[in-house]
Amino acid sequence: MAGLICAQSLEKRGVRSAVFDTGMHGFGGRMGTRIIEPQGLVFDHAAQFFSVSDPRFAELVNGWLDTGLVREWPGLIGELEAGGHFTPLPSPPPRYIGVHGMRPLADSLAQTLPNVVRPCWISKLEPFNGRWHLSENGKNRGGFDAIVIAHNGKCANRLLASSGLPLIARQMKRLELSSIWALLAAFDDPLPIPGSRGAPPFEGAFVKGVDSLSWMANNSAKLSRSESNGTHCWTFFSTSAYGKRNKVPQENIPTVTAEKVKADMLGGVQSALGLPEGSLQKPFYIRLQLWGAALPMNSPNVPCIFDPRGRAGICGDWLLGSSMESAALSGMALANHIADYFQSGGAQPDEFAIGLHNDFQPLSGHDIGQFPGLESEKQTEDIRDRELVT
């Protein structure tokens, strides 16, 4: 999201760009949607939904609504405590989802850009004669006046290690990321969802008091694409604490670890729903994925990082928080910063430096991200109490 919005915003400012995307299956990174054929199973297996609080992001979202890329998610969501105790969250603000999942939204953003290469793993950044020269395993990928890294974790650190950008490299290394397991499961019959005051079954829940589970969502109900064939597709996420304790190389997950995590997470679903041990129906489809660099745990709270002397910048949700809104705002901010820098002619570069020395602070929020305005009634009361005290 951050990189695509940055490129789109640069185009609006008259700055041509090229996007090199590492995605093997599609654009969007953690805006992942998995479709399993021929059964027609659909799972959002990363970003689940998003909320809107900033008018700049609201303008983007309104455009997506007009073109049918996103819609409001009216389904009931709330907090589910171990034992099947469900409490709905307040309805405002609106929650949004991709009409056919999150990934098609990312794909549509990429289609608005004139120069996109995927899949492509840029392996080297070399400054020479005032330009950046990019290569992919020895293959020349062109020269550019400035570079943007819309990535984090090990890949970004490897790129920066020999780039001659010590200030940016230092900031990136300060970032701490969580690890979260995602379990996709399809069932023949509906799960026994606990009711609440005559309300319909919930479609999403932040799980409390279960070590192996932080979120569960009924994709069939949310996306309304799998109901016709009678299947019930669910996405389950572990807690970040569980992910940390059971972290392995995500490219090569040992079978013994995979089986343990599947059992633990399905056991967590059973516990969260308050079902007797061994009574949870067996899914006919199941897939496990580890998001080894899932979400930021700390942030410099600055919209972007830009080194004008190196003509290099970073954007990403982690700079402002951990949400799709944060990602979009970061991409917009960096694009405008770069465009302003070029427009100035670069005569006084230090005036355009941003984020190179900001301290990082811990982030709070749900294990699966931040959703501005979406707090439980208790959280809202706690916030009001703190406001009264301060």
Side-chain angles (χ1 to χ4, degrees), residues 5-206:
I5 293 295
C6 184
Q8 194 178 67
S9 301
L10 283 170
E11 292 290 331
K12 291 177 182 177
R13 291 291 304 271
V15 180
R16 290 179 301 164
S17 67
V19 175
F20 301 98
D21 189 276
T22 62
M24 294 293 294
H25 305 290
F27 297 99
R30 286 167 292 150
M31 293 168 62
T33 300
R34 190 173 292 275
I35 300 174
I36 310 301
E37 300 293 0
Q39 301 101 314
L41 310 179
V42 186
F43 303 88
D44 275 334
H45 67 124
Q48 297 292 289
F49 67 94
F50 61 94
S51 58
V52 179
S53 64
D54 187 283
R56 293 165 296 178
F57 187 51
E59 185 178 349
L60 264 183
V61 174
N62 287 336
W64 299 339
L65 286 166
D66 291 342
T67 53
L69 288 170
V70 303
R71 65 174 176 84
E72 286 192 36
W73 180 21
L76 181 66
I77 75 166
E79 293 182 347
L80 180 65
E81 295 202 28
H85 309 290
F86 179 76
T87 305
L89 291 177
S91 53
R95 305 180 300 272
Y96 298 94
I97 57 173
V99 169
H100 300 299
M102 290 298 190
R103 176 159 285 156
L105 171 58
D107 290 340
S108 70
L109 292 174
Q111 289 168 7
T112 67
L113 302 172
N115 189 6
V116 179
V117 183
R118 181 191 69 82
C120 176
W121 289 79
I122 296 298
S123 55
K124 200 168 187 180
L125 310 170
E126 293 182 289
F128 182 70
N129 281 350
R131 303 196 86 203
W132 282 98
H133 296 267
L134 277 57
S135 59
E136 179 189 18
N137 298 323
K139 181 180 180 180
N140 179 32
R141 285 297 187 177
F144 302 89
D145 298 305
I147 54 169
V148 168
I149 298 174
H151 211 334
N152 57 37
K154 292 179 181 178
C155 294
N157 288 334
R158 278 198 297 266
L159 267 179
L160 287 167
S162 57
S163 64
L165 296 166
L167 296 179
I168 286 184
R170 182 186 64 182
Q171 290 296 72
M172 186 70 85
K173 285 182 179 179
R174 288 178 173 175
L175 173 64
E176 298 173 6
L177 295 161
S178 67
S179 297
I180 292 177
W181 290 94
L183 184 68
L184 314 180
F187 302 90
D188 285 317
D189 299 312
L191 294 185
I193 304 301
S196 176
R197 301 176 186 174
F202 70 75
E203 294 183 13
F206 296 99

Side-chain angles (χ1 to χ4, degrees), residues 64-374:
W64 299 339
L65 286 166
D66 291 342
T67 53
L69 288 170
V70 303
R71 65 174 176 84
E72 286 192 36
W73 180 21
L76 181 66
I77 75 166
E79 293 182 347
L80 180 65
E81 295 202 28
H85 309 290
F86 179 76
T87 305
L89 291 177
S91 53
R95 305 180 300 272
Y96 298 94
I97 57 173
V99 169
H100 300 299
M102 290 298 190
R103 176 159 285 156
L105 171 58
D107 290 340
S108 70
L109 292 174
Q111 289 168 7
T112 67
L113 302 172
N115 189 6
V116 179
V117 183
R118 181 191 69 82
C120 176
W121 289 79
I122 296 298
S123 55
K124 200 168 187 180
L125 310 170
E126 293 182 289
F128 182 70
N129 281 350
R131 303 196 86 203
W132 282 98
H133 296 267
L134 277 57
S135 59
E136 179 189 18
N137 298 323
K139 181 180 180 180
N140 179 32
R141 285 297 187 177
F144 302 89
D145 298 305
I147 54 169
V148 168
I149 298 174
H151 211 334
N152 57 37
K154 292 179 181 178
C155 294
N157 288 334
R158 278 198 297 266
L159 267 179
L160 287 167
S162 57
S163 64
L165 296 166
L167 296 179
I168 286 184
R170 182 186 64 182
Q171 290 296 72
M172 186 70 85
K173 285 182 179 179
R174 288 178 173 175
L175 173 64
E176 298 173 6
L177 295 161
S178 67
S179 297
I180 292 177
W181 290 94
L183 184 68
L184 314 180
F187 302 90
D188 285 317
D189 299 312
L191 294 185
I193 304 301
S196 176
R197 301 176 186 174
F202 70 75
E203 294 183 13
F206 296 99
V207 180
K208 307 294 181 183
V210 178
D211 175 63
S212 61
L213 204 65
S214 69
W215 168 262
M216 56 190 297
N218 183 341
N219 289 260
S220 299
K222 183 179 82 166
L223 299 175
S224 300
R225 290 186 65 190
S226 299
E227 290 180 323
S228 59
N229 62 14
T231 59
H232 304 269
C233 301
W234 285 79
T235 295
F236 305 111
F237 283 130
S238 76
T239 62
S240 58
Y242 180 87
K244 183 178 180 179
R245 288 199 312 273
N246 293 276
K247 186 176 181 180
V248 293
Q250 66 183 60
E251 302 84 4
N252 187 23
I253 299 172
T255 301
V256 64
T257 301
E259 293 306 312
K260 175 185 183 301
V261 172
K262 288 176 187 177
D264 287 350
M265 293 186 68
L266 289 175
V269 173
Q270 187 174 259
S271 174
L273 294 175
L275 303 178
E277 186 173 348
S279 65
L280 181 71
Q281 63 175 296
K282 185 178 180 180
F284 69 84
Y285 172 86
I286 191 165
R287 183 184 180 94
L288 186 69
Q289 176 169 334
L290 173 62
W291 292 100
L295 292 170
M297 300 178 69
N298 60 351
S299 170
N301 197 29
V302 62
C304 61
I305 294 176
F306 184 63
D307 180 350
R309 293 193 177 275
R311 303 172 321 286
I314 300 176
C315 60
D317 66 322
W318 59 274
L319 289 155
L320 289 169
S322 56
S323 68
M324 284 176 57
E325 179 174 273
S326 294
L329 293 177
S330 179
M332 281 187 255
L334 182 55
N336 286 324
H337 213 72
I338 290 173
D340 289 344
Y341 168 74
F342 283 146
Q343 197 170 18
S344 76
Q348 295 177 301
D350 291 340
E351 291 184 5
F352 294 89
I354 182 172
L356 296 173
H357 304 286
N358 289 61
D359 291 331
F360 281 59
Q361 302 297 327
L363 273 175
S364 60
H366 299 285
D367 277 10
I368 69 164
Q370 296 177 321
F371 306 93
L374 191 72

